[in-house]
């Protein structure tokens, strides 16, 4: 019996798996049952006539009684009415972009290595000189006619790490050099090795300053007086060179809690707060006899 493509379509695909005990990222770009593409670690998988394999070429058809399911990591066996052939391994996360398909360029960008080598002297290149990069910019090759020119070009190579918090540790590098003599003979010089040491960034420091003692008269106590009117909250970031940078504006406080000791007398002592300011800053203000608490992600230092 023949089948109509409008009624039946491919429904199950199998790619040869990568089994090397390493973490990998798999992205399935599903534009329709006739347009399914796989990307592994940000690189498009080149399909051939045997890979991927269509396991079941006509399970999907229009029906009013059963809803079609999308399954990742298992296979639905209709005869047993159960899931089978489960994925065996470790998953860190699974994301489903519903209603649209991510572009290959966006996935490639997301997997681009944040650690790269850059050449900062492109505007200084003259005739007889050249600079080439590997696809992931982990290797740079420079060519020049004289040793001083090569030295100058090597000094323009920089290590760049675009991670928000670079992982501390050693980054080894290797320098290989080849010299071409006048007769056309090439000599390979001894390999030079070194490393870039990425230090652990110091944790930011939260500092509070202000008066620790409040001297007030009885009248001020009765009408109400600010408790910490001159308080200053600052956040500083120590640098590896010993400098300290003020980074208060780039951080937010989750909460601010002030304890009272001894506890206040609930019948005679109470807190008053600027209701309009608290509402404008979207701050939750709580208090009891032992403390008061300001809690909100929008509470800036």
């Amino acid at each position: 019996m023949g089948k109509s493509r409008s009624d039946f379509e491919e429904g199950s695909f199998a790619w040869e798996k990568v089994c090397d005990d390493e973490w990998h990222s798999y992205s399935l770009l599903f534009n329709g049952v006739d347009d399914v593409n796989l990307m592994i670690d940000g690189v498009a998988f080149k399909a051939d006539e045997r890979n991927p394999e269509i396991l079941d070429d006509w399970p999907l058809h229009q029906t009013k009684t059963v809803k079609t399911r999308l399954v990742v990591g298992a296979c639905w066996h209709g005869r047993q009415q159960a899931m089978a052939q489960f994925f065996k391994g470790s998953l860190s996360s699974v994301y489903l972009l519903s209603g649209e398909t991510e572009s290959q360029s966006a996935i490639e960008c997301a997997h681009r290595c944040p650690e790269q080598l850059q050449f900062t002297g492109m505007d200084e290149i003259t005739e007889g000189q050249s600079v080439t990069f590997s696809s992931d910019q982990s290797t740079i090759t420079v060519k020049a006619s004289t040793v001083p020119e090569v030295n100058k070009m090597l000094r323009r190579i920089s290590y760049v790490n675009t991670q928000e918090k670079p992982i501390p540790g050693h980054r080894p590098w290797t320098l290989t050099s080849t010299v071409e003599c006048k007769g056309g003979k090439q000599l390979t010089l001894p390999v030079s090795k070194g490393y870039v040491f990425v230090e652990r960034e110091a944790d930011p420091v939260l500092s509070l300053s202000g008066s620790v003692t409040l001297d007030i008269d009885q009248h001020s106590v009765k009408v109400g007086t600010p408790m910490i009117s001159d308080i200053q909250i600052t956040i500083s970031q120590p640098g590896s060179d010993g400098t300290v940078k003020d980074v208060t504006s780039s951080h937010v406080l989750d909460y601010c809690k002030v304890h009272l000791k001894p506890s206040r007398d609930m019948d005679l002592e109470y807190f008053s707060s600027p209701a309009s300011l608290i509402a404008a800053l979207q701050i939750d203000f709580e208090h009891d006899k032992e403390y008061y608490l300001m809690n909100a992600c929008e509470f800036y230092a």
Side-chain angles (χ1 to χ4, degrees):
M1 180 181 295
K3 66 172 182 175
S4 170
R5 292 192 61 83
S6 61
D7 294 333
F8 300 96
E9 298 289 354
E10 293 84 350
S12 183
F13 303 85
W15 285 269
E16 291 184 3
K17 299 183 291 293
V18 178
C19 300
D20 56 5
D21 292 328
E22 299 290 340
W23 283 98
H24 294 281
S25 169
Y26 296 87
S27 301
L28 284 175
L29 309 182
F30 186 86
N31 294 304
V33 291
D34 292 326
D35 187 5
V36 181
N37 296 289
L38 170 68
M39 298 187 71
I40 302 177
D41 298 332
V43 179
F45 178 83
K46 295 182 179 180
D48 55 37
E49 65 276 4
R50 299 187 61 184
N51 193 7
E53 176 188 1
I54 299 176
L55 299 183
D56 197 343
D57 63 351
W58 58 288
L60 299 182
H61 58 280
Q62 295 181 356
T63 174
K64 296 181 179 180
T65 58
V66 179
K67 291 185 178 180
T68 302
R69 293 182 177 181
L70 170 64
V71 181
V72 178
C75 184
W76 175 257
H77 282 199
R79 182 172 298 178
Q80 289 80 21
Q81 291 292 298
M83 291 289 181
Q85 297 174 305
F86 292 97
F87 168 79
K88 296 180 180 179
S90 300
L91 288 175
S92 64
S93 58
V94 177
Y95 300 95
L96 174 64
L97 183 61
S98 179
E100 56 183 308
T101 304
E102 189 63 273
S103 64
Q104 287 195 13
S105 59
I107 296 176
E108 291 171 354
C109 179
H111 287 80
R112 194 167 294 130
C113 182
E115 298 180 274
Q116 299 176 349
L117 295 178
Q118 289 187 358
F119 185 80
T120 59
M122 295 301 296
D123 57 338
E124 301 174 356
I125 298 297
T126 60
E127 185 178 355
Q129 299 178 351
S130 66
V131 180
T132 56
F133 303 83
S134 61
S135 58
D136 59 356
Q137 288 191 238
S138 63
T139 302
I140 294 181
T141 303
V142 299
K143 293 183 180 181
S145 301
T146 66
V147 173
E149 290 179 353
V150 172
N151 289 337
K152 183 178 179 180
M153 296 175 73
L154 290 177
R155 287 193 289 267
R156 298 295 186 268
I157 297 177
S158 302
Y159 165 77
V160 178
N161 192 327
T162 59
Q163 290 177 311
E164 183 177 352
K165 291 187 177 181
I167 300 174
H170 294 74
R171 307 297 195 272
W173 55 262
T174 302
L175 175 63
T176 57
S177 304
T178 302
V179 179
E180 184 174 346
C181 303
K182 291 183 178 180
K185 182 180 180 180
Q186 290 189 346
L187 299 177
T188 300
L189 302 181
V191 175
S192 298
K193 296 183 178 181
Y195 63 86
V196 176
F197 181 69
V198 180
E199 296 183 348
R200 183 180 299 276
E201 185 180 44
D203 294 330
V205 178
L206 177 67
S207 303
L208 288 83
S209 61
S211 302
V212 296
T213 303
L214 187 63
D215 295 324
I216 53 176
D217 54 36
Q218 292 183 351
H219 175 73
S220 298
V221 171
K222 291 180 180 180
V223 299
T225 185
M227 295 176 56
I228 43 178
S229 59
D230 60 345
I231 188 173
Q232 291 289 334
I233 302 176
T234 58
I235 302 174
S236 57
Q237 180 67 60
S240 58
D241 56 355
T243 60
V244 178
K245 182 180 180 181
D246 189 335
V247 293
T248 306
S249 59
S250 60
H251 289 266
V252 296
L253 296 180
D254 293 326
Y255 67 91
C256 182
K257 190 174 185 179
V258 179
H259 287 268
L260 298 177
K261 189 176 182 180
S263 302
R264 66 188 176 97
D265 188 330
M266 299 288 285
D267 295 326
L268 301 176
E269 300 173 304
Y270 64 93
F271 293 122
S272 64
S273 56
S276 58
L277 179 60
I278 289 177
L281 295 177
Q282 299 181 349
I283 295 175
D284 293 330
F285 183 82
E286 303 175 10
H287 62 85
D288 65 8
K289 66 178 182 178
E290 295 183 348
Y291 70 88
Y292 69 84
L293 171 68
M294 291 179 290
N295 187 359
C297 292
E298 298 299 326
F299 178 57
Y300 286 82

